[in-house]
């Protein structure tokens, strides 16, 4: 400080040093001092002089200040002074002192931009500032944030490009949103706003750095609409991230951030006025919703956001604000615009909006309440335009909504006790207010877009003009008012309505031409010379005449297409007609209206065109020019060609129907052929397998015949195996015959063995079992003979199997049934055989017991004889009987 007093205040009596000299001495002190305290004092002095002597400090001291940032990183105080000094010389928003000697920036010289260029000559300087932003010390981090913001304001694109190539540069700036100190967090929001401007790449990176989550958290912490300037800064940053960036919009939707917007619009009705900050915050929130569902976005992205807003009840909250009381006019207008874009082209949202009722007694549809304001002169211009846009959006690609509005105009549906939308539109169409006339005409034209049926239905509308006078049609009333003249806006609106009504509707054209005064009036409007304001009316009349020519079905003899063209050439001339027709598309307001669906006029007098009408003009203008340029011969030739083409189309349609029927028949036949072919192939495979099986069984049979060595049996079996035609029989039948022969041999042996059995009771049981077996064998033989006859029939059917797959299938089923029956017979034979074997085993056991008893009796007799006892002969006879039975049993064995 002694140095500063010596420089600035010690020589009060002598000549005072200039600002440049003082700055030079301070810069020398910064560069040459070895003590940190001296350098710190010098930098503090430069900071104090940087506002008053901005140019001198920036020119002489920038390099020394940057050197301090690199060499004195350990001292946060000197770093903070250096950053503040750089911010003062670079920023153009620095508050100047009230001293009269303050140097003001000249408009011709951008001082801040010049120093920014000097700073950016070394790109490492930006990296240095970003590294200082990582310091937690408040006196370092906050000045670094402000300096980076000033650099972006002055040279945004250059700083953005440098930041992109610095590793983790954007991440360091995103960390500012997590700082607990509100000053740094708020200035970090301003920094990110400047960083995102016009750079889609940075916007994407910032979005993927979790910016949406952090910003929405800040908004929630601050109290949504009741928050202060911080909420406004967050909303502005969200807008910069989402506007014209479809990638970020999709990321915002896919990240489920749209439901987090719903609490923003929980606005309670308040008796006191809204604060200016709350109005601003809610206004920005509504604009953010509009960005997500803007018609200029890709259609798929807009539709998905609209569905998400309906699903999370965001649309319901907006409609609640729409019907609430005490809402400021500008917020109400912006809410209507937001609802318009949320429901535009989305059927589910349009249906919900149509069901919303105003809180009145009795309840009225919201659209009726809005139309009351649209046709009222007391409402603001912006509000009336917003309501018109809301009605247009509710009818866009909504045939049901269009039919409902038109139905309220028809005589059969008019309810005199209630005010309908159609009545309000008719009242506005014929009122004394030109803006109401234009808005009502545009609303009715949107009821007709893309719907030929509604164009025809509107022809049925009848209007009561005065007491005692018959009703007139809506079309006739429009032409009558148009003929009476009036304000430009009224006539333009009626002409747009007529052009939309007659386009692509030959019946409406015939009704218009039926009034003999319409065509002369239109031609007079085209040929008469008026002021510049009337040129647009002439162009619209030329367009209306062209529509009558192009969509004329020649149903009126006096106004056929050739006669209208002849009249046009005679009274107007083709070149003059084309010149008048081009006035519409060349008009300045036409170009303005063609940019977006929302009405964008600043004053009522400039609201003349509608977005959908500009699209209609682009579609039909070229068609009208071609239709008028064609000669009568070309017209006739084209008509003949058209009729021929129509006849050819009819004939072609008949042939197409015939071919379609034949294709169906051919397809069915092909399916049948394919099915029969598959069945035939399957039958061939089955026959081949059965033939192979028969060959295998025949080989087994021959082997058994050799082993058995019985020619008689072989001969009989061979005769049975060969049919009357020498054909081989099935393997199941051959196997069954072999098993029957074996069973017969076993039964014969059983009969011979049991014939000599002495036990009458056992013998009778065995004989009854054998008789049953014999009866079963007889029955099986009868069954076998019947099966042989059936098998012979099957052989004949097998020879005819090539005649159809159905017979092959039947043969297979019958063979399967025969095999089942043969297996059943085989099981019966096996059961009888097992019963005979059991009986024989029981008899053998009984004989063994008898033999053992006889042996014991002989031993006892011998002992009795040895002891001197006498033995009866009767006992000997019994012994002989036992021996006889035993011998018989042995012989059988």
């Amino acid at each position: 400080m002694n140095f500063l007093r010596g420089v600035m205040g010690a020589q009060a009596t002598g000549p005072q040093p200039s600002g440049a000299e003082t700055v030079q001495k301070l810069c020398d002190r910064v560069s040459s001092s070895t003590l940190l305290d001296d350098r710190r004092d010098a930098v503090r002095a430069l900071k104090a002089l940087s506002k008053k002597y901005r140019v001198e400090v920036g020119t002489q001291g920038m390099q020394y200040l940057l050197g301090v940032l690199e060499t004195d990183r350990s001292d946060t105080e000197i770093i903070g002074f250096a950053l503040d000094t750089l911010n003062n010389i670079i920023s153009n928003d620095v508050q100047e002192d009230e001293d009269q000697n303050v140097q003001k920036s000249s408009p011709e010289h951008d001082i801040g931009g010049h120093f920014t260029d000097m700073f950016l000559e070394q790109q490492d300087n930006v990296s240095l500032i970003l590294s200082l932003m990582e310091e937690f010390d408040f006196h370092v981090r906050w000045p670094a944030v402000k300096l980076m913001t000033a650099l972006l304001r002055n040279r945004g694109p250059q700083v953005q490009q440098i930041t992109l190539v610095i590793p983790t540069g954007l991440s360091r700036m995103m960390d500012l949103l997590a700082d607990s100190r509100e000053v740094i967090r708020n200035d970090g929001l301003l920094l990110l706003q400047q960083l995102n401007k016009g750079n889609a790449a940075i916007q994407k990176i910032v979005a993927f750095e979790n910016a949406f989550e952090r910003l929405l958290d800040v908004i929630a912490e601050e109290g949504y609409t009741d928050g202060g300037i911080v909420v406004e800064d967050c909303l502005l940053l969200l807008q910069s991230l989402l506007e014209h960036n479809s990638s970020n919009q999709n990321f915002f939707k896919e990240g489920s951030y749209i439901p987090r917007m719903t609490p923003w619009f929980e606005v309670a009705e308040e008796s006191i006025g809204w604060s200016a900050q709350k109005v601003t915050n809610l206004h920005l929130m509504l604009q953010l919703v509009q960005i997500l569902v803007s018609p200029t976005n890709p259609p798929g992205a807009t539709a998905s956001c609209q569905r998400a807003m309906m699903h999370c009840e965001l649309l319901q909250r907006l409609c609640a604000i729409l019907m609430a009381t005490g809402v400021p006019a500008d917020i109400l207008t912006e809410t209507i615009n937001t609802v318009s874009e949320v429901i535009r082209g989305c059927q589910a949202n349009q249906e919900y909006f149509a069901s919303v009722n105003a809180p009145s007694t009795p309840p009225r549809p919201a659209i009726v309440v809005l139309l009351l304001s649209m046709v009222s002169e007391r409402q603001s211009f912006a509000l009336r335009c917003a309501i018109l846009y809301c009605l247009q959006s509710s009818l866009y690609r909504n045939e049901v909504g269009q039919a409902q509005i038109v139905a309220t105009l028809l005589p059969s549906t008019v309810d005199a006790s209630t005010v309908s939308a159609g009545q309000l539109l008719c009242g506005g169409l014929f009122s004394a207010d030109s803006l109401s006339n234009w808005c009502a005409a545009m609303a009715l034209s949107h009821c007709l877009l893309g719907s030929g049926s509604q164009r025809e239905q509107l022809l049925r509308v009848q209007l009561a003009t005065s007491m005692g006078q018959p009703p007139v049609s809506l079309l006739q009333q429009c032409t009558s008012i148009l003929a009476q003249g009036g304000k430009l806006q009224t006539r333009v609106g009626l002409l747009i309505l007529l052009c939309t009504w007659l386009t692509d509707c030959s019946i409406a054209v015939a009704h218009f031409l039926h009034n003999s005064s319409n065509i002369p009036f239109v031609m007079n409007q085209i040929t008469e010379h008026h002021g510049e304001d009337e040129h647009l009316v002439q162009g619209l009349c030329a367009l209306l005449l062209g529509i009558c020519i192009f969509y004329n079905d020649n149903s009126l003899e006096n106004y056929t297409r050739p006669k209208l063209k002849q009249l046009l050439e005679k009274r107007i001339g083709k070149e003059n007609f084309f010149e008048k027709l081009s006035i519409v598309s060349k008009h300045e307001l036409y170009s303005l209206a063609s940019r977006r669906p929302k009405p964008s006029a600043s004053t009522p007098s400039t609201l003349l065109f509608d977005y959908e009408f500009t699209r209609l003009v682009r579609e039909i203008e070229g068609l009208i020019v071609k239709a008028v340029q064609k000669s009568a011969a070309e017209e006739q030739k084209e008509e003949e060609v058209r009729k021929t083409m129509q006849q050819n189309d009819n004939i072609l349609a008949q042939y197409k129907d015939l071919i379609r029927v034949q294709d169906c028949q051919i397809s069915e036949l092909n399916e049948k052929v394919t099915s029969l072919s598959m069945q035939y192939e399957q039958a061939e495979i089955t026959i081949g397998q059965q033939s192979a099986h028969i060959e295998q069984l025949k080989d087994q049979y021959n082997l058994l015949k050799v082993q058995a060595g019985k020619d008689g049996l072989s001969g009989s079996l061979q005769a049975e195996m060969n049919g009357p035609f020498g054909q081989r029989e099935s393997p199941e039948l051959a196997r069954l015959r072999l098993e029957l022969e074996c069973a017969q041999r076993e039964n014969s042996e059983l009969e011979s063995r049991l014939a000599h059995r002495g036990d009458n009771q056992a013998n009778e049981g065995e004989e009854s079992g054998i008789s049953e077996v014999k009866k079963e064998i007889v029955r099986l033989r009868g069954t076998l003979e019947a099966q042989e006859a059936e098998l012979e029939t099957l052989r004949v059917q097998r020879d005819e199997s090539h005649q159809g797959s159905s017979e092959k299938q039947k043969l297979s089923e019958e063979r399967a049934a025969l095999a089942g029956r043969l297996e059943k017979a085989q099981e019966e034979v096996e059961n009888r055989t097992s019963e005979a074997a059991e009986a024989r085993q029981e008899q053998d056991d009984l004989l063994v017991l008898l033999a053992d008893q006889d042996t014991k009796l002989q031993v006892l007799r011998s002992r009795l004889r040895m002891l001197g006892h006498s033995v009866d002969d009767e006992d000997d006879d019994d012994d002989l009987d036992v021996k006889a039975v035993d011998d018989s049993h042995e012989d059988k064995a």
Side-chain angles (χ1 to χ4, degrees):
M1 296 302 294
N2 293 331
F3 168 75
L4 292 176
R5 284 193 292 271
V7 172
M8 304 183 65
Q11 301 177 356
T13 58
Q16 296 293 329
S18 63
E21 293 174 352
T22 304
V23 171
Q24 181 62 44
K25 291 180 181 180
L26 291 174
C27 291
D28 293 340
R29 187 69 174 174
V30 171
S31 62
S32 61
S33 296
T34 57
L35 295 177
L36 178 60
D37 293 339
D38 291 343
R39 292 197 302 274
R40 186 188 304 117
D41 292 339
V43 174
R44 184 187 291 111
L46 285 174
K47 174 187 174 183
L49 296 174
S50 60
K51 295 182 180 180
K52 186 174 182 180
Y53 299 101
R54 180 183 180 187
V55 176
E56 291 79 2
V57 175
T59 304
Q60 301 179 31
M62 181 175 288
Q63 57 180 342
Y64 301 112
L65 295 173
L66 292 173
V68 169
L69 295 179
E70 294 180 356
T71 57
D72 295 329
R73 292 285 297 270
S74 60
D75 187 77
T76 58
E77 189 174 2
I78 191 174
I79 294 296
F81 292 151
L83 290 172
D84 286 334
T85 306
L86 288 172
N87 185 39
N88 290 339
I89 64 177
I90 288 176
S91 177
N92 288 324
D93 298 332
V94 176
Q95 297 293 332
E96 298 179 344
D97 295 333
E98 296 180 358
D99 192 354
Q100 298 295 329
N101 296 326
V102 172
Q103 299 178 358
K104 296 183 179 180
S105 299
S106 174
E108 293 83 5
H109 302 284
D110 183 8
I111 299 176
H114 175 70
F115 288 137
T116 302
D117 293 335
M118 291 177 58
F119 186 89
L120 296 178
E121 287 178 358
Q122 296 293 329
Q123 296 186 4
D124 293 339
N125 295 335
V126 178
S127 179
L128 178 62
I129 301 301
L130 291 175
S131 64
L132 291 173
M133 288 173 57
E134 291 183 318
E135 296 290 337
F136 185 75
D137 190 275
F138 180 81
H139 298 288
V140 175
R141 197 172 199 183
W142 188 35
V145 171
K146 293 191 292 183
L147 177 59
M148 194 68 185
T149 305
L151 293 172
L152 286 166
R153 282 198 184 103
N154 295 335
R155 295 293 184 268
Q158 294 90 323
V159 179
Q160 288 172 344
Q161 295 301 321
I162 296 172
T163 306
L164 282 173
V165 299
I166 297 176
T168 68
L170 294 175
S171 299
R172 297 173 188 174
M173 286 184 271
M174 286 298 303
D175 292 339
L176 299 173
L177 298 180
D179 200 303
S180 59
R181 294 160 293 192
E182 292 187 2
V183 176
I184 295 179
R185 184 195 65 184
N186 299 344
D187 284 348
L189 291 172
L190 300 177
L191 171 62
L192 291 173
Q193 288 179 21
Q194 298 295 327
L195 182 67
N196 289 321
K197 283 185 177 180
N199 194 307
I202 292 180
Q203 291 171 1
K204 292 179 182 179
I205 296 174
V206 171
F208 282 94
E209 287 285 345
N210 207 22
F212 295 139
E213 183 75 25
R214 297 181 182 182
L215 292 174
L216 293 174
D217 289 340
V218 173
I219 293 174
E221 292 171 1
E222 294 293 326
Y224 304 118
T225 56
D226 295 327
I229 190 73
V230 178
V231 173
E232 179 181 350
D233 293 336
C234 290
L235 293 171
L236 290 173
L237 180 55
L238 283 173
Q239 287 187 10
S240 66
L241 290 173
L242 294 173
E243 193 169 11
H244 306 304
N245 193 319
S246 58
S247 176
N248 281 1
Q249 291 174 9
N250 185 63
F251 179 70
F252 190 85
K253 181 188 72 67
E254 296 296 335
S256 300
Y257 295 118
I258 291 179
R260 297 188 61 179
M261 300 169 65
T262 304
W264 295 358
F265 304 103
E266 293 181 359
V267 180
E269 297 184 8
E270 300 177 358
S271 58
I272 59 175
W274 291 27
S275 65
Q277 187 61 55
K278 182 173 183 178
V279 171
T280 302
N281 290 343
L282 188 55
H283 190 82
L284 292 173
M285 291 174 179
L286 293 170
Q287 288 181 348
L288 189 61
V289 176
Q290 293 180 35
I291 289 173
L292 293 173
V293 293
S294 174
T296 58
N297 294 341
T302 299
S304 59
C305 289
Q306 288 174 331
R307 291 191 294 269
M309 291 177 184
M310 179 66 182
H311 182 71
C312 69
E313 297 187 353
L314 192 149
L315 175 60
Q316 289 84 329
R317 299 289 176 84
L318 293 176
C319 291
I321 297 175
L322 203 64
M323 296 291 103
T325 58
V327 180
D330 54 345
I331 292 297
L332 181 60
T333 301
E334 199 64 28
T335 303
I336 295 174
N337 286 327
T338 305
V339 171
S340 303
E341 298 197 344
V342 173
I343 67 175
R344 179 179 174 84
C346 182
Q347 185 177 358
N349 294 5
Q350 290 170 339
E351 291 176 355
Y352 172 78
F353 178 73
S355 65
V356 175
N357 290 323
S360 60
T361 306
R364 289 182 177 180
I367 191 65
V368 173
V369 176
L370 293 176
L371 287 177
L372 284 170
S373 299
M374 187 187 75
V375 298
S376 175
E377 299 182 35
R378 294 177 296 178
Q379 301 297 334
S380 64
F381 171 68
L383 178 62
R384 298 172 74 178
C385 289
I387 295 173
L388 174 62
Y389 183 47
C390 184
L391 178 62
Q392 292 174 347
S393 298
S394 66
L395 299 177
Y396 181 68
R397 296 180 180 175
N398 185 7
E399 295 185 1
V400 176
Q402 291 174 332
Q404 290 174 351
I405 297 293
V406 174
T408 59
L409 292 167
L410 299 178
S412 59
T413 58
V414 173
D415 187 2
S417 61
T418 59
V419 178
S420 64
Q423 293 174 353
L424 292 173
L425 291 177
C426 283
L429 186 63
F430 305 122
S431 68
D433 180 29
S434 61
L435 182 58
S436 297
N437 302 153
W438 189 90
C439 291
M442 295 306 102
L444 286 174
S445 67
H446 276 259
C447 294
L448 309 176
L449 288 173
S451 178
S453 60
Q454 300 310 319
R455 289 185 171 95
E456 297 177 6
Q457 288 292 327
L458 203 61
L459 294 172
R460 298 173 50 203
V461 177
Q462 300 290 322
L463 302 176
T465 56
S466 59
M467 294 296 295
Q469 298 293 330
V472 296
S473 66
L474 177 61
L475 182 63
Q476 184 178 352
Q477 185 68 11
C478 289
T479 55
S480 299
I481 294 177
L482 189 62
Q484 295 174 6
K487 296 181 181 180
L488 175 65
Q489 194 173 34
T490 301
R491 289 182 290 161
V492 169
L494 291 173
L495 286 170
I496 290 176
L497 174 60
L498 291 174
C499 290
T500 306
W501 195 346
L502 271 58
T503 298
D504 200 18
C505 185
S506 301
I507 299 177
V509 171
H511 278 72
F512 180 79
L513 296 177
H514 186 73
N515 189 344
S516 60
S517 62
N518 288 339
I519 291 300
F521 167 74
V522 171
M523 290 192 172
N524 288 334
Q525 291 291 319
I526 298 173
T527 56
E528 288 182 0
H529 297 285
H530 302 281
E532 293 183 359
D533 293 341
E534 299 296 327
H535 288 173
L536 180 58
V537 175
Q538 292 180 338
L540 292 172
C541 287
L543 180 65
L544 182 60
L545 180 59
I547 291 173
C548 293
I549 294 174
F550 184 75
Y551 292 103
N552 194 340
D553 59 355
N554 299 326
S555 59
L556 296 178
E557 183 178 356
N558 295 332
Y559 292 106
T560 60
R561 183 183 297 180
K563 290 183 178 180
L564 284 177
K565 289 174 61 177
Q566 184 179 2
L567 190 61
L568 183 148
E569 294 177 4
K570 181 179 178 181
R571 296 197 52 185
I572 302 174
K574 288 185 179 180
E575 296 300 329
N576 189 26
F577 175 79
F578 295 148
E579 181 181 353
K580 299 296 183 182
L581 183 63
S582 63
I583 291 176
V584 178
S585 57
K586 292 180 180 179
H587 201 279
E588 180 182 359
L589 297 178
Y590 175 93
S591 302
L592 182 64
S594 63
R595 295 176 183 175
R596 57 178 304 167
K598 181 181 176 181
S600 55
S602 56
T603 60
S605 60
T606 58
L607 188 61
L608 296 178
F609 286 102
D610 174 67
Y611 173 77
E612 293 297 334
F613 178 70
T614 61
R615 296 180 57 189
L616 179 65
V617 172
R618 286 197 297 268
E619 292 176 2
I620 66 174
E621 185 176 3
L623 300 176
I624 292 173
V625 171
K626 292 180 181 179
V628 173
Q629 286 179 341
K630 292 178 182 178
S631 62
E634 291 176 345
E635 283 281 346
Q636 185 177 1
K637 184 178 179 180
E638 182 179 350
E639 184 67 20
E640 294 176 356
V641 171
R642 187 182 64 82
K643 292 181 180 179
T644 304
M645 290 295 294
Q646 186 175 2
Q647 294 176 357
N648 293 338
D649 290 340
N650 295 334
I651 297 174
L652 183 61
Q654 295 176 0
Y655 278 113
K656 286 182 178 179
D657 294 338
L658 178 61
I659 292 173
R660 192 178 297 110
V661 173
Q662 292 178 348
D663 285 340
C664 294
Q665 295 176 353
I666 291 173
S667 299
E668 293 177 358
L669 292 175
N670 287 334
E671 292 177 358
K672 291 181 180 179
V673 169
T674 303
S675 177
L676 291 174
S677 299
M678 294 175 62
Q679 294 176 5
Y680 175 77
E681 293 175 358
Q682 187 66 29
E684 287 289 336
I685 294 172
T686 304
I687 292 173
Q689 293 175 352
Q690 291 177 352
S691 300
H693 195 193
I694 289 172
E695 291 290 340
Q696 183 180 2
L697 291 175
K698 184 177 180 181
D699 295 339
Q700 293 177 2
Y701 167 74
N702 293 330
L703 180 61
L704 291 174
K705 183 179 69 174
V706 172
Q707 292 176 355
K710 296 180 180 181
D711 297 333
L713 177 61
S714 299
S716 62
L717 290 177
Q718 182 66 28
E720 292 178 354
M721 286 287 293
N722 294 328
F725 300 100
Q727 295 177 351
R728 296 175 179 175
E729 60 186 358
S730 64
E732 291 85 355
L733 186 58
R735 179 172 53 82
L736 181 60
R737 284 179 174 172
L738 292 175
E739 291 174 353
L740 287 175
E741 292 293 336
C742 294
Q744 289 176 356
R745 288 196 300 271
E746 290 177 358
N747 288 332
S748 300
E749 292 176 0
L750 287 174
E751 290 174 357
S752 61
R753 289 181 181 180
L754 293 175
H756 302 85
R757 184 169 298 177
D759 193 352
N760 295 330
Q761 184 178 359
N763 192 19
E764 291 176 359
E766 185 69 19
E767 288 176 356
S768 64
I770 294 298
S771 63
E772 290 179 359
V773 171
K774 290 181 178 180
K775 292 179 181 179
E776 183 64 23
I777 290 173
V778 171
R779 185 181 64 81
L780 289 175
R781 284 177 178 174
T783 303
L784 183 60
E785 292 175 357
Q787 290 175 351
E788 286 177 353
E790 187 176 1
L791 181 61
E792 185 63 29
T793 304
L794 292 177
R795 285 196 187 101
V796 176
Q797 293 179 355
R798 187 185 63 183
D799 294 337
E800 299 174 354
S801 61
H802 294 285
Q803 297 178 0
S805 58
S806 59
E807 297 179 358
K808 296 176 182 178
Q809 184 176 2
K810 183 176 179 182
L811 177 62
S812 300
E813 293 176 354
E814 292 177 351
R815 286 180 175 175
L818 178 60
R821 295 168 66 181
L822 292 176
E823 289 178 359
K824 185 176 180 181
Q826 180 183 356
E827 291 177 359
E828 187 69 22
V829 171
E830 290 177 355
N831 292 334
R832 295 301 181 183
T833 305
S834 62
E835 290 177 358
E838 290 176 359
R840 186 175 59 207
Q841 182 66 31
E842 291 177 358
Q843 185 68 25
D844 291 342
D845 293 340
L846 181 61
L847 292 175
V848 170
L849 290 174
L850 291 174
D852 292 339
Q853 186 179 5
D854 182 63
T855 303
K856 291 178 181 180
L857 289 174
Q858 290 180 359
V859 171
L860 290 174
R861 285 191 184 100
S862 62
R863 287 181 180 179
L864 288 173
R865 289 189 182 101
M866 290 175 62
L867 293 174
H869 292 282
S870 62
V871 180
D872 297 336
D873 295 333
E874 196 172 330
D875 296 333
D876 295 335
D877 295 335
D878 294 335
D879 294 338
L880 292 173
D881 293 336
V882 171
K883 289 181 180 180
V885 172
D886 192 8
D887 295 338
S888 174
H889 176 69
E890 290 178 356
D891 293 337
K892 289 181 180 180

